[in-house]
Amino acid sequence: MAKDLYEVLGVPRDATEDDIKKAFRKQARKLHPDVNKSPNAEEEFKELNEAYDVLSDPQKRSAYDRFGTIPGAAGGGNPYGGGYVDFDDIFGGGFGGMGDIFSSFFSGMGGSAQVRREGRDMGVGLRLTLEEVATGVKKEIVYDRLAPCQDCDGTGLGEGGKEVSCPECGGSGRVVSVQRTFLGDMRTTSTCGSCGGTGRSIDNPCPECEGQGRVPDRQRVTVEVPAGIRDSQQLRVTGFGEAGLRGAAAGNLIVTCRIQPHDFFEREGDNLHARANISMVQAALGAEIEVDGIMPDEKVGVRIPEGCQNDQVIRVRGKGMPKFRSDLRGDLFVHASVVIPKKLTKSQRELLEKLASDMGEDYANARSPLEKLRDAFN
Protein backbone atom coordinates (compact mmCIF):
# COMPACT_ATOMS: atom_id res chain seq x y z
CA MET A 1 0.00 0.00 0.00
CA ALA A 2 1.31 3.46 -0.89
CA LYS A 3 2.45 5.60 2.01
CA ASP A 4 0.18 8.38 3.21
CA LEU A 5 1.55 11.65 1.78
CA TYR A 6 0.70 13.58 4.94
CA GLU A 7 2.66 10.99 6.92
CA VAL A 8 5.64 11.34 4.56
CA LEU A 9 5.74 15.10 5.23
CA GLY A 10 4.89 14.67 8.91
CA VAL A 11 1.88 17.02 8.90
CA PRO A 12 -1.80 16.57 9.84
CA ARG A 13 -4.44 16.40 7.10
CA ASP A 14 -5.67 19.92 7.98
CA ALA A 15 -2.18 21.45 7.65
CA THR A 16 -2.00 24.90 6.06
CA GLU A 17 -0.01 25.63 2.93
CA ASP A 18 2.64 27.35 5.06
CA ASP A 19 2.83 24.34 7.41
CA ILE A 20 3.38 22.04 4.42
CA LYS A 21 6.17 24.23 3.04
CA LYS A 22 8.02 24.38 6.35
CA ALA A 23 7.61 20.66 7.00
CA PHE A 24 8.98 19.87 3.56
CA ARG A 25 12.04 22.09 4.01
CA LYS A 26 12.71 20.61 7.44
CA GLN A 27 12.52 17.04 6.17
CA ALA A 28 14.47 17.82 3.00
CA ARG A 29 17.41 19.16 5.01
CA LYS A 30 17.62 15.79 6.76
CA LEU A 31 17.04 13.55 3.74
CA HIS A 32 18.85 15.33 0.90
CA PRO A 33 21.69 13.15 -0.45
CA ASP A 34 24.14 16.04 0.02
CA VAL A 35 23.81 15.74 3.79
CA ASN A 36 22.29 12.28 4.32
CA LYS A 37 24.80 9.55 3.46
CA SER A 38 22.49 6.59 4.02
CA PRO A 39 22.06 4.27 1.00
CA ASN A 40 18.31 5.07 0.84
CA ALA A 41 18.74 8.86 0.96
CA GLU A 42 18.04 9.45 -2.73
CA GLU A 43 14.89 7.30 -2.73
CA GLU A 44 13.60 8.88 0.49
CA PHE A 45 14.17 12.37 -0.85
CA LYS A 46 12.39 11.47 -4.09
CA GLU A 47 9.41 10.18 -2.08
CA LEU A 48 9.39 13.37 -0.01
CA ASN A 49 9.50 15.54 -3.15
CA GLU A 50 6.59 13.61 -4.70
CA ALA A 51 4.53 14.13 -1.56
CA TYR A 52 5.27 17.85 -1.59
CA ASP A 53 4.49 18.05 -5.31
CA VAL A 54 0.94 16.87 -4.59
CA LEU A 55 0.20 18.56 -1.26
CA SER A 56 1.63 21.96 -2.23
CA ASP A 57 -0.79 22.25 -5.16
CA PRO A 58 -4.40 23.00 -4.11
CA GLN A 59 -5.93 21.16 -7.08
CA LYS A 60 -3.76 18.06 -6.69
CA ARG A 61 -4.21 18.03 -2.93
CA SER A 62 -7.99 18.24 -3.22
CA ALA A 63 -8.03 15.35 -5.68
CA TYR A 64 -5.68 13.30 -3.48
CA ASP A 65 -7.95 13.85 -0.47
CA ARG A 66 -10.89 12.59 -2.54
CA PHE A 67 -9.32 9.70 -4.46
CA GLY A 68 -6.34 8.76 -2.27
CA THR A 69 -4.01 8.21 -5.22
CA ILE A 70 -0.81 9.87 -6.40
CA PRO A 71 -0.93 11.69 -9.79
CA GLY A 72 0.54 9.51 -12.51
CA ALA A 73 0.81 6.43 -10.29
CA ALA A 74 0.20 3.06 -11.94
CA GLY A 75 -3.47 2.18 -11.83
CA GLY A 76 -4.34 5.45 -10.15
CA GLY A 77 -5.14 7.39 -13.28
CA ASN A 78 -4.69 11.13 -13.34
CA PRO A 79 -7.76 12.92 -12.00
CA TYR A 80 -5.71 16.02 -11.35
CA GLY A 81 -5.65 17.44 -14.85
CA GLY A 82 -2.87 19.61 -16.23
CA GLY A 83 -2.29 21.93 -13.30
CA TYR A 84 1.30 22.78 -14.21
CA VAL A 85 2.51 24.49 -17.32
CA ASP A 86 5.10 22.29 -19.00
CA PHE A 87 8.70 23.42 -18.91
CA ASP A 88 11.64 21.99 -20.82
CA ASP A 89 14.68 23.13 -18.91
CA ILE A 90 15.84 25.32 -16.06
CA PHE A 91 19.22 26.97 -16.31
CA GLY A 92 21.15 29.18 -13.91
CA GLY A 93 23.45 26.93 -11.94
CA GLY A 94 22.06 23.79 -13.54
CA PHE A 95 18.78 23.73 -11.62
CA GLY A 96 16.52 20.94 -12.73
CA GLY A 97 14.22 20.40 -9.76
CA MET A 98 13.85 20.76 -6.01
CA GLY A 99 16.79 18.41 -5.41
CA ASP A 100 19.15 20.69 -7.33
CA ILE A 101 17.68 23.73 -5.59
CA PHE A 102 18.60 22.22 -2.23
CA SER A 103 22.09 21.43 -3.47
CA SER A 104 22.51 25.10 -4.31
CA PHE A 105 21.05 26.03 -0.92
CA PHE A 106 23.60 23.88 0.90
CA SER A 107 26.44 25.31 -1.18
CA GLY A 108 25.43 28.79 -0.01
CA MET A 109 25.93 27.90 3.65
CA GLY A 110 29.69 28.20 3.53
CA GLY A 111 32.49 25.91 2.46
CA SER A 112 35.64 26.58 0.51
CA ALA A 113 33.96 28.04 -2.59
CA GLN A 114 33.18 31.74 -2.77
CA VAL A 115 29.48 32.42 -2.27
CA ARG A 116 27.68 34.40 -4.96
CA ARG A 117 25.52 37.10 -3.37
CA GLU A 118 23.37 38.04 -6.38
CA GLY A 119 20.75 35.56 -7.54
CA ARG A 120 21.21 33.84 -10.87
CA ASP A 121 18.84 33.99 -13.83
CA MET A 122 16.60 30.97 -14.31
CA GLY A 123 14.76 29.86 -17.41
CA VAL A 124 11.77 27.76 -18.40
CA GLY A 125 10.38 26.67 -21.76
CA LEU A 126 6.66 27.45 -22.03
CA ARG A 127 4.58 25.35 -24.44
CA LEU A 128 1.91 27.25 -26.39
CA THR A 129 -0.66 26.40 -29.05
CA LEU A 130 -0.89 28.44 -32.23
CA GLU A 131 -4.37 29.63 -31.18
CA GLU A 132 -2.94 30.95 -27.89
CA VAL A 133 -0.22 32.81 -29.78
CA ALA A 134 -2.83 34.30 -32.15
CA THR A 135 -4.89 35.85 -29.36
CA GLY A 136 -2.30 36.28 -26.62
CA VAL A 137 -2.67 34.43 -23.34
CA LYS A 138 -1.88 34.47 -19.63
CA LYS A 139 -0.16 31.35 -18.31
CA GLU A 140 0.69 30.29 -14.78
CA ILE A 141 4.15 28.76 -14.49
CA VAL A 142 5.08 26.56 -11.52
CA TYR A 143 8.78 26.00 -10.87
CA ASP A 144 11.28 25.54 -8.04
CA ARG A 145 13.71 28.25 -6.98
CA LEU A 146 15.54 29.79 -4.04
CA ALA A 147 12.95 32.35 -2.92
CA PRO A 148 13.19 35.10 -0.26
CA CYS A 149 12.63 33.73 3.23
CA GLN A 150 9.31 35.04 4.56
CA ASP A 151 10.23 34.48 8.20
CA CYS A 152 13.05 37.05 8.12
CA ASP A 153 11.99 39.08 5.03
CA GLY A 154 15.14 37.94 3.26
CA THR A 155 17.60 39.44 5.79
CA GLY A 156 18.79 36.14 7.23
CA LEU A 157 18.45 37.56 10.76
CA GLY A 158 16.73 35.72 13.59
CA GLU A 159 15.06 37.46 16.52
CA GLY A 160 17.57 39.90 17.94
CA GLY A 161 20.15 38.82 15.34
CA LYS A 162 22.58 41.05 13.50
CA GLU A 163 25.12 40.89 10.73
CA VAL A 164 28.70 41.17 11.93
CA SER A 165 32.17 41.01 10.50
CA CYS A 166 33.29 37.40 10.09
CA PRO A 167 35.59 36.53 13.05
CA GLU A 168 37.52 33.97 10.99
CA CYS A 169 38.72 36.35 8.25
CA GLY A 170 38.20 39.71 9.95
CA GLY A 171 35.78 40.79 7.24
CA SER A 172 38.16 40.32 4.32
CA GLY A 173 36.52 37.15 3.01
CA ARG A 174 39.98 35.59 2.60
CA VAL A 175 42.19 33.61 4.93
CA VAL A 176 45.96 33.28 4.79
CA SER A 177 47.71 30.08 5.77
CA VAL A 178 51.44 29.65 6.27
CA GLN A 179 53.23 26.39 5.53
CA ARG A 180 56.85 25.86 6.51
CA THR A 181 59.02 24.20 3.84
CA PHE A 182 62.74 23.74 3.36
CA LEU A 183 62.59 26.73 1.04
CA GLY A 184 61.06 28.88 3.75
CA ASP A 185 57.55 29.91 4.74
CA MET A 186 54.93 29.65 1.94
CA ARG A 187 51.84 31.80 2.28
CA THR A 188 48.60 30.82 0.49
CA THR A 189 45.34 32.78 0.34
CA SER A 190 41.95 31.10 0.01
CA THR A 191 38.26 31.88 0.36
CA CYS A 192 37.09 31.96 3.95
CA GLY A 193 35.21 28.72 4.63
CA SER A 194 33.17 30.28 7.41
CA CYS A 195 31.53 33.14 5.48
CA GLY A 196 32.02 31.85 1.93
CA GLY A 197 34.01 34.92 0.94
CA THR A 198 31.35 37.47 1.91
CA GLY A 199 33.30 38.79 4.91
CA ARG A 200 30.09 38.88 6.94
CA SER A 201 28.44 36.38 9.26
CA ILE A 202 25.17 36.31 11.16
CA ASP A 203 24.93 36.50 14.92
CA ASN A 204 21.74 34.55 15.76
CA PRO A 205 20.62 33.64 12.20
CA CYS A 206 17.05 32.97 11.11
CA PRO A 207 16.34 29.29 11.88
CA GLU A 208 14.21 28.84 8.76
CA CYS A 209 16.82 29.92 6.18
CA GLU A 210 19.90 29.41 8.41
CA GLY A 211 21.07 32.96 7.76
CA GLN A 212 20.88 32.94 3.96
CA GLY A 213 17.74 35.02 3.63
CA ARG A 214 16.40 32.56 1.04
CA VAL A 215 14.84 29.12 1.07
CA PRO A 216 14.01 26.42 -1.52
CA ASP A 217 10.40 26.95 -2.52
CA ARG A 218 7.84 26.22 -5.22
CA GLN A 219 7.02 29.42 -7.06
CA ARG A 220 3.92 30.35 -9.05
CA VAL A 221 4.05 33.25 -11.45
CA THR A 222 1.60 34.38 -14.15
CA VAL A 223 3.20 35.32 -17.46
CA GLU A 224 1.39 37.43 -20.05
CA VAL A 225 2.27 36.19 -23.53
CA PRO A 226 1.58 38.86 -26.19
CA ALA A 227 -0.13 37.93 -29.45
CA GLY A 228 2.14 37.16 -32.40
CA ILE A 229 5.15 35.98 -30.41
CA ARG A 230 7.56 33.79 -32.38
CA ASP A 231 8.85 30.33 -31.55
CA SER A 232 11.96 30.49 -29.29
CA GLN A 233 11.30 34.15 -28.50
CA GLN A 234 11.95 34.95 -24.83
CA LEU A 235 10.08 36.91 -22.18
CA ARG A 236 11.76 38.29 -19.06
CA VAL A 237 10.06 38.28 -15.64
CA THR A 238 12.17 40.57 -13.49
CA GLY A 239 13.13 39.39 -10.02
CA PHE A 240 11.66 35.88 -10.27
CA GLY A 241 14.92 34.01 -10.76
CA GLU A 242 17.09 32.86 -7.88
CA ALA A 243 16.82 35.12 -4.81
CA GLY A 244 20.00 36.85 -3.73
CA LEU A 245 21.87 36.10 -0.51
CA ARG A 246 20.56 38.15 2.46
CA GLY A 247 18.60 40.62 0.39
CA ALA A 248 21.02 40.93 -2.55
CA ALA A 249 19.50 41.42 -6.01
CA ALA A 250 17.49 38.51 -7.36
CA GLY A 251 17.98 37.05 -10.82
CA ASN A 252 15.32 37.07 -13.54
CA LEU A 253 13.07 34.34 -14.94
CA ILE A 254 13.61 33.89 -18.68
CA VAL A 255 10.61 32.28 -20.39
CA THR A 256 11.32 30.71 -23.79
CA CYS A 257 8.16 30.23 -25.86
CA ARG A 258 7.81 26.85 -27.56
CA ILE A 259 4.97 26.84 -30.13
CA GLN A 260 3.49 23.42 -30.83
CA PRO A 261 2.75 22.17 -34.39
CA HIS A 262 -0.80 22.71 -35.66
CA ASP A 263 -3.01 20.17 -37.43
CA PHE A 264 -4.32 22.60 -40.07
CA PHE A 265 -2.04 25.65 -40.22
CA GLU A 266 1.67 25.96 -40.85
CA ARG A 267 3.25 29.22 -39.75
CA GLU A 268 5.84 31.10 -41.78
CA GLY A 269 6.74 34.32 -40.00
CA ASP A 270 3.50 36.28 -39.74
CA ASN A 271 1.89 34.31 -42.59
CA LEU A 272 -0.11 31.10 -42.39
CA HIS A 273 -0.36 28.25 -44.89
CA ALA A 274 -3.34 25.86 -45.05
CA ARG A 275 -4.66 23.24 -47.46
CA ALA A 276 -8.26 23.17 -48.73
CA ASN A 277 -10.00 20.44 -50.78
CA ILE A 278 -12.01 21.54 -53.83
CA SER A 279 -13.91 19.50 -56.39
CA MET A 280 -12.86 19.31 -60.04
CA VAL A 281 -15.98 21.29 -60.95
CA GLN A 282 -15.05 24.07 -58.50
CA ALA A 283 -11.52 24.03 -59.90
CA ALA A 284 -12.79 24.33 -63.47
CA LEU A 285 -15.58 26.88 -62.96
CA GLY A 286 -14.26 28.77 -59.94
CA ALA A 287 -16.01 28.99 -56.57
CA GLU A 288 -16.36 30.79 -53.26
CA ILE A 289 -15.46 28.57 -50.28
CA GLU A 290 -14.93 29.08 -46.55
CA VAL A 291 -12.07 27.82 -44.40
CA ASP A 292 -11.49 28.13 -40.65
CA GLY A 293 -9.35 31.07 -39.56
CA ILE A 294 -6.83 31.10 -36.71
CA MET A 295 -8.85 33.53 -34.57
CA PRO A 296 -11.73 32.20 -32.41
CA ASP A 297 -14.83 31.34 -34.51
CA GLU A 298 -13.26 33.01 -37.55
CA LYS A 299 -14.41 31.99 -41.03
CA VAL A 300 -12.33 33.12 -44.00
CA GLY A 301 -13.83 33.44 -47.48
CA VAL A 302 -11.55 32.16 -50.26
CA ARG A 303 -12.22 32.84 -53.96
CA ILE A 304 -11.15 29.88 -56.09
CA PRO A 305 -10.28 31.24 -59.56
CA GLU A 306 -11.65 29.66 -62.72
CA GLY A 307 -9.28 26.97 -63.99
CA CYS A 308 -7.59 26.50 -60.61
CA GLN A 309 -4.84 23.88 -60.75
CA ASN A 310 -3.91 21.30 -58.12
CA ASP A 311 -1.53 22.80 -55.51
CA GLN A 312 -2.26 26.32 -56.77
CA VAL A 313 -1.88 28.87 -53.96
CA ILE A 314 -4.56 31.50 -53.30
CA ARG A 315 -3.54 34.45 -51.13
CA VAL A 316 -5.98 36.01 -48.65
CA ARG A 317 -4.54 39.24 -47.30
CA GLY A 318 -4.76 40.13 -43.60
CA LYS A 319 -5.97 36.71 -42.39
CA GLY A 320 -2.67 35.32 -41.11
CA MET A 321 -1.04 35.64 -37.67
CA PRO A 322 -1.16 38.92 -35.72
CA LYS A 323 2.11 40.79 -35.97
CA PHE A 324 4.01 41.10 -32.69
CA ARG A 325 2.95 44.21 -30.77
CA SER A 326 0.92 45.47 -33.76
CA ASP A 327 -2.72 45.63 -34.87
CA LEU A 328 -1.79 44.26 -38.31
CA ARG A 329 -1.92 40.65 -39.45
CA GLY A 330 0.02 38.60 -41.97
CA ASP A 331 -1.57 36.80 -44.92
CA LEU A 332 -3.21 33.38 -45.31
CA PHE A 333 -2.02 31.21 -48.20
CA VAL A 334 -4.52 28.50 -49.15
CA HIS A 335 -3.08 25.56 -51.11
CA ALA A 336 -5.79 24.01 -53.31
CA SER A 337 -6.12 20.23 -53.45
CA VAL A 338 -8.33 19.17 -56.38
CA VAL A 339 -10.26 16.03 -55.38
CA ILE A 340 -11.19 13.64 -58.20
CA PRO A 341 -14.26 11.46 -57.44
CA LYS A 342 -13.54 7.72 -57.33
CA LYS A 343 -17.08 6.73 -58.34
CA LEU A 344 -19.56 8.37 -60.73
CA THR A 345 -23.27 7.87 -61.32
CA LYS A 346 -24.46 7.03 -64.83
CA SER A 347 -25.63 10.58 -65.51
CA GLN A 348 -22.38 12.05 -64.18
CA ARG A 349 -20.35 9.78 -66.39
CA GLU A 350 -22.45 10.65 -69.43
CA LEU A 351 -21.94 14.34 -68.78
CA LEU A 352 -18.18 13.88 -68.50
CA GLU A 353 -18.11 11.75 -71.65
CA LYS A 354 -19.96 14.49 -73.54
CA LEU A 355 -17.53 17.07 -72.17
CA ALA A 356 -14.59 14.92 -73.27
CA SER A 357 -16.09 14.60 -76.75
CA ASP A 358 -16.65 18.35 -77.01
CA MET A 359 -13.04 18.96 -75.96
CA GLY A 360 -11.71 16.27 -78.30
CA GLU A 361 -10.20 14.22 -75.49
CA ASP A 362 -9.77 10.45 -75.39
CA TYR A 363 -11.15 8.44 -72.49
CA ALA A 364 -11.72 4.82 -71.50
CA ASN A 365 -15.13 3.93 -72.96
CA ALA A 366 -15.20 0.20 -72.20
CA ARG A 367 -17.80 -0.72 -69.61
CA SER A 368 -18.01 -4.10 -67.94
CA PRO A 369 -21.42 -5.89 -67.69
CA LEU A 370 -21.31 -5.43 -63.93
CA GLU A 371 -20.77 -1.67 -64.27
CA LYS A 372 -23.63 -1.42 -66.79
CA LEU A 373 -25.91 -3.35 -64.44
CA ARG A 374 -24.97 -1.07 -61.55
CA ASP A 375 -25.70 1.99 -63.71
CA ALA A 376 -29.10 0.54 -64.60
CA PHE A 377 -30.03 0.20 -60.92
CA ASN A 378 -28.70 3.69 -60.19
Side-chain angles (χ1 to χ4, degrees):
M1 182 179 296
K3 288 186 177 179
D4 182 270
L5 300 188
Y6 291 96
E7 184 179 326
V8 172
L9 281 177
V11 295
R13 300 189 75 86
D14 60 352
T16 65
E17 184 178 346
D18 193 50
D19 292 337
I20 289 172
K21 285 183 178 182
K22 290 189 175 184
F24 168 71
R25 286 196 287 261
K26 182 179 179 181
Q27 293 277 54
R29 288 182 183 125
K30 297 178 183 177
L31 299 178
H32 193 278
D34 283 0
V35 293
N36 184 4
K37 301 307 177 184
S38 71
N40 298 327
E42 186 172 343
E43 188 62 31
E44 289 176 343
F45 184 81
K46 180 181 178 182
E47 186 179 70
L48 178 71
N49 197 47
E50 288 175 348
Y52 181 62
D53 182 61
V54 174
L55 299 185
S56 64
D57 182 273
Q59 183 182 357
K60 290 184 177 182
R61 181 182 178 183
S62 174
Y64 174 74
D65 289 341
R66 291 172 58 198
F67 299 104
T69 55
I70 300 174
N78 186 11
Y80 306 90
Y84 289 168
V85 174
D86 291 329
F87 58 88
D88 298 323
D89 59 290
I90 298 183
F91 55 84
F95 294 164
M98 190 61 85
D100 291 336
I101 300 294
F102 264 97
S103 295
S104 181
F105 175 75
F106 293 133
S107 69
M109 293 168 59
S112 58
Q114 185 171 358
V115 176
R116 175 190 175 105
R117 293 191 62 88
E118 295 78 18
R120 290 168 287 191
D121 287 347
M122 300 179 66
V124 296
L126 178 61
R127 296 181 182 178
L128 300 164
T129 66
L130 198 60
E131 286 87 354
E132 289 173 333
V133 174
T135 59
V137 67
K138 290 183 179 180
K139 286 280 192 177
E140 183 184 62
I141 297 176
V142 182
Y143 63 106
D144 299 329
R145 71 161 182 153
L146 286 176
C149 176
Q150 295 183 356
D151 283 17
C152 65
D153 293 328
T155 63
L157 303 177
E159 187 175 354
K162 58 182 179 179
E163 188 173 302
V164 297
S165 179
C166 175
E168 294 294 325
C169 63
S172 66
R174 315 286 287 178
V175 291
V176 179
S177 59
V178 179
Q179 184 179 5
R180 296 185 181 278
T181 70
F182 69 94
L183 295 176
D185 293 346
M186 295 189 65
R187 299 167 62 88
T188 57
T189 304
S190 60
T191 301
C192 176
S194 179
C195 66
T198 64
R200 310 291 291 174
S201 62
I202 299 293
D203 183 14
N204 192 23
C206 168
E208 181 65 22
C209 64
E210 301 179 5
Q212 287 200 45
R214 57 188 184 181
V215 291
D217 203 357
R218 187 144 291 163
Q219 181 73 53
R220 284 176 169 79
V221 59
T222 299
V223 178
E224 187 166 350
V225 181
I229 200 164
R230 303 288 183 90
D231 186 58
S232 299
Q233 192 169 341
Q234 295 181 330
L235 301 171
R236 181 185 300 269
V237 187
T238 304
F240 277 87
E242 182 186 73
L245 187 68
R246 298 172 198 160
N252 301 316
L253 179 68
I254 311 299
V255 181
T256 302
C257 295
R258 309 288 190 190
I259 303 174
Q260 304 304 293
H262 196 276
D263 292 336
F264 182 64
F265 295 108
E266 183 174 334
R267 187 180 186 184
E268 183 184 32
D270 296 322
N271 298 324
L272 289 175
H273 291 260
R275 186 166 290 278
N277 293 333
I278 60 174
S279 70
M280 61 181 185
V281 175
Q282 290 174 320
L285 302 179
E288 292 282 347
I289 67 170
E290 272 191 350
V291 298
D292 292 333
I294 190 61
M295 306 302 285
D297 302 320
E298 183 180 38
K299 296 295 182 181
V300 179
V302 182
R303 191 184 188 295
I304 305 299
E306 181 179 330
C308 181
Q309 302 299 303
N310 191 53
D311 282 332
Q312 185 170 330
V313 181
I314 300 99
R315 183 176 188 172
V316 185
R317 296 186 181 277
K319 294 299 181 180
M321 289 294 292
K323 297 187 177 182
F324 187 64
R325 303 197 187 282
S326 170
D327 294 331
L328 302 177
R329 291 173 65 179
D331 298 333
L332 172 64
F333 293 87
V334 179
H335 298 247
S337 292
V338 180
V339 180
I340 306 299
K342 294 181 179 180
K343 293 182 179 180
L344 296 172
T345 64
K346 181 181 179 181
S347 60
Q348 289 170 343
R349 182 175 181 84
E350 289 173 349
L351 287 171
L352 284 179
E353 288 174 349
K354 185 178 184 307
L355 176 63
S357 298
D358 290 346
M359 298 181 69
E361 294 183 357
D362 294 329
Y363 61 92
N365 195 24
R367 303 283 287 161
S368 69
L370 181 62
E371 288 173 326
K372 293 178 180 179
L373 182 62
R374 187 194 65 186
D375 290 343
F377 278 106
N378 289 336

